[in-house]
Amino acid sequence: MSNEFQNDPEHPPEHYRGPVVLRREKRVGDSTTDQRLLDSRGPSDWVHTDPWRVLRIQSEFVEGFGALAEVPKAVTVFGSARTGRDHPEYELGRRIGTALAEAGFAAITGGGPGSMEAVNRGASEAGGLSIGLGIELPFEQGLNPWVDLGVNFRYFFTRKTMFVKYAQAFICLPGGFGTLDELFEALTLVQTKKVTKFPVVLFGSDYWGGLHDWVRNTVLREGKIGEKDAALLHVTDDIDDAVQIVQDAYKAWEDTH
């Protein structure tokens, strides 16, 4: 991912270490918390620190739950951090954020630049609640200026929990590995009924059509998933259609609660 804020004079380069923000290259250490947790190379001292890391992980869950507990119905939108502000996908993300706000949904993104910024911007400008869930990374990336409620995380798995727990649907704009990771994790959670009434919308048939065809024509045909599993994916190029899918799923969820 690139940092669209790097050359923005109104948003100086910043680096996050959990809830701590470091700006203008005033850093202490270069590795991230996830890296130190998962990388077993080097001295064996790390073995003795894991019990304390558990407390830090616990604190991230407590902070996330506390910050997001009062969030109304919401939709998590994923997309590329590499999308420039002059790219058509940026305007698309902005319109999706606006449409979600007008439909009464808060918009949750990863809080970064690109498509994430566009969605946050559209939601915020339309008077909706714009939420950004940031992550500590080894390169510069901060919460974009259109995040109204922001939480920064050290660990990806904590952040992923928040993306799912406080949303009623996922919308995936064109994106890279991060978007694909969240997409398939969401599908797995729905398939295994860890979450229910949770639609996954792939926005942009030109971008997602090949993946959707592969799921149906290869994965389904080979018997690796069932027809109900394949039907979890919704591909569309229409914003109203995407929002309607979300609204229908939310109404179905309300009817069972």
Side-chain angles (χ1 to χ4, degrees):
M1 283 182 283
S2 63
N3 185 1
E4 295 295 332
F5 305 144
Q6 191 170 9
N7 299 318
D8 187 344
E10 295 184 359
H11 200 291
E14 56 188 37
H15 175 73
Y16 282 88
R17 183 169 300 142
V20 178
V21 60
L22 302 173
R23 286 181 169 165
R24 299 177 183 86
E25 301 298 327
K26 307 266 192 315
R27 301 189 187 181
V28 180
D30 293 324
S31 62
T32 68
T33 307
D34 257 337
Q35 181 181 350
R36 292 190 293 274
L37 170 66
L38 299 174
D39 193 346
S40 60
R41 296 170 294 179
S44 60
D45 292 347
W46 68 273
V47 175
H48 307 293
T49 66
D50 281 353
W52 296 103
R53 284 183 175 138
V54 170
L55 295 178
R56 174 172 281 179
I57 292 167
Q58 176 181 315
S59 73
E60 284 213 340
F61 279 111
V62 171
E63 289 290 343
F65 292 156
L68 301 173
E70 302 301 322
V71 167
K73 60 183 182 179
V75 175
T76 295
V77 185
F78 296 105
S80 176
R82 299 173 185 262
T83 304
R85 289 174 178 167
D86 58 348
H87 195 285
E89 288 173 10
Y90 187 93
E91 179 58 27
L92 176 63
R94 196 170 172 179
R95 289 170 55 204
I96 288 175
T98 297
L100 289 174
E102 291 175 347
F105 289 90
I108 302 174
T109 78
S115 293
M116 293 176 282
E117 176 189 290
V119 173
N120 286 134
R121 182 174 184 173
S124 183
E125 290 177 337
L129 179 57
S130 170
I131 301 171
L133 307 182
I135 186 69
E136 175 187 313
L137 294 171
F139 40 82
E140 299 293 349
Q141 184 178 4
L143 292 175
N144 67 69
W146 285 277
V147 168
D148 300 324
L149 171 60
V151 184
N152 289 295
F153 296 92
R154 292 182 173 93
Y155 300 101
F156 270 107
F157 54 83
T158 312
R159 182 182 183 231
K160 285 181 175 181
T161 300
M162 305 303 159
F163 278 140
V164 175
K165 179 173 175 59
Y166 294 100
Q168 278 71 49
F170 276 176
I171 295 177
C172 294
L173 292 167
F177 285 160
T179 301
L180 291 169
D181 175 49
E182 298 293 355
L183 164 62
F184 282 105
E185 179 148 348
L187 290 173
T188 301
L189 290 172
V190 178
Q191 180 194 45
T192 56
K193 300 189 183 303
K194 297 296 184 181
V195 295
T196 57
K197 307 297 182 184
F198 198 98
V200 179
V201 181
L202 302 180
F203 202 98
S205 58
D206 286 345
Y207 190 85
W208 295 110
L211 174 64
H212 186 253
D213 290 344
W214 174 74
V215 168
R216 296 203 65 88
N217 298 333
T218 300
V219 184
L220 175 61
R221 188 173 61 189
E222 293 287 333
K224 303 300 188 291
I225 61 173
E227 180 61 44
K228 289 184 178 180
D229 302 325
L232 295 174
L233 283 171
H234 305 270
V235 181
T236 185
D237 295 300
D238 184 83
I239 293 176
D240 291 339
D241 183 41
V243 173
Q244 189 63 54
I245 291 170
V246 171
Q247 289 177 316
D248 290 346
Y250 183 73
K251 185 178 185 304
W253 178 85
E254 278 190 315
D255 291 343
T256 60
H257 288 73

